[in-house]
Amino acid sequence: MQSPLVNIALLSSYVLFSLTHIQKVAAEANARVYHSAIRFVTKAPYTTHHCDLYALVGWPSLHTRRQTHWLQVIYKSLLGKAPSYLSSLITIAAPTLSTRSSRYISLVTTPKDNSSFGCLSFQFSAANDWNELQNSLKLETHISITSFKHQLSEQLTDHCTCT
């Protein structure tokens, strides 16, 4: 039989389908449920800060989990391992000049619609977030998903920014 903590983790994987454009209100409500579940399992007092709750169970913050999942979806789309409706929206940029940064995998970021709504599209936001990540990862070729997850875990670290 699985422990309640494992069941919460499995449930959260489904509940936290985590595109970065989730509304703030929905994300906060989701976080309250998540924190309550951790408090229940760990028997931590209600006043325990959420950063301390994650430390108790050894998990990254919800923000880090959402960001990790989002970047993994983008990478799987690059590899063609995501559903075709997502992979078809990813376009690898062809470098026009030969520079040091041109050898890194980057994506085209021009939205089809120049409105603010167009900038929220998967096509634009995925390319934008990928190119930002490439500033630190600097991938020149595709690597395995496992290696990508490892490099991503080294890049995305939790810092408590609460005041």
Side-chain angles (χ1 to χ4, degrees):
M1 183 172 163
Q2 292 179 335
S3 75
L5 214 49
V6 171
N7 288 333
I8 289 172
L10 292 173
L11 178 63
S12 70
S13 295
Y14 296 108
V15 173
L16 290 177
F17 184 81
S18 56
L19 295 177
T20 57
H21 303 295
I22 189 171
Q23 291 182 356
K24 187 176 181 178
V25 174
E28 288 173 0
N30 190 326
R32 282 193 297 272
V33 170
Y34 200 77
H35 299 156
S36 294
I38 295 173
R39 280 188 192 100
F40 177 77
V41 171
T42 61
K43 296 181 176 37
Y46 181 76
T47 55
T48 306
H49 190 268
H50 61 88
C51 293
D52 296 333
L53 289 173
Y54 297 128
L56 282 173
V57 293
W59 291 348
S61 70
L62 293 179
H63 171 74
T64 300
R65 290 186 64 181
R66 287 185 187 106
Q67 189 68 11
T68 299
H69 182 73
W70 168 243
L71 293 168
Q72 287 175 11
V73 167
I74 296 169
Y75 190 65
K76 287 178 182 178
S77 298
L78 266 172
L79 296 177
K81 296 188 180 214
S84 60
Y85 63 88
L86 290 178
S87 295
S88 66
L89 297 173
I90 299 287
T91 306
I92 296 177
T96 54
L97 297 172
S98 181
T99 62
R100 282 189 302 246
S101 63
S102 68
R103 64 180 182 245
Y104 305 133
I105 302 167
S106 61
L107 302 177
V108 176
T109 57
T110 308
K112 292 189 175 173
D113 180 11
N114 289 330
S115 68
S116 60
F117 186 71
C119 291
L120 293 176
S121 69
F122 177 82
Q123 186 175 18
F124 180 79
S125 58
N128 197 37
D129 290 348
W130 175 261
N131 292 341
E132 187 177 315
L133 177 66
Q134 276 292 68
N135 290 335
S136 56
L137 282 187
K138 300 184 184 330
L139 294 179
E140 296 181 24
T141 60
H142 297 294
I143 58 176
S144 72
I145 293 175
T146 306
S147 297
F148 178 73
K149 287 179 181 180
H150 177 71
Q151 286 191 17
L152 199 56
S153 69
E154 291 175 349
Q155 290 293 320
L156 301 177
T157 56
D158 280 328
H159 314 16
C160 184
T161 56
C162 307
T163 54

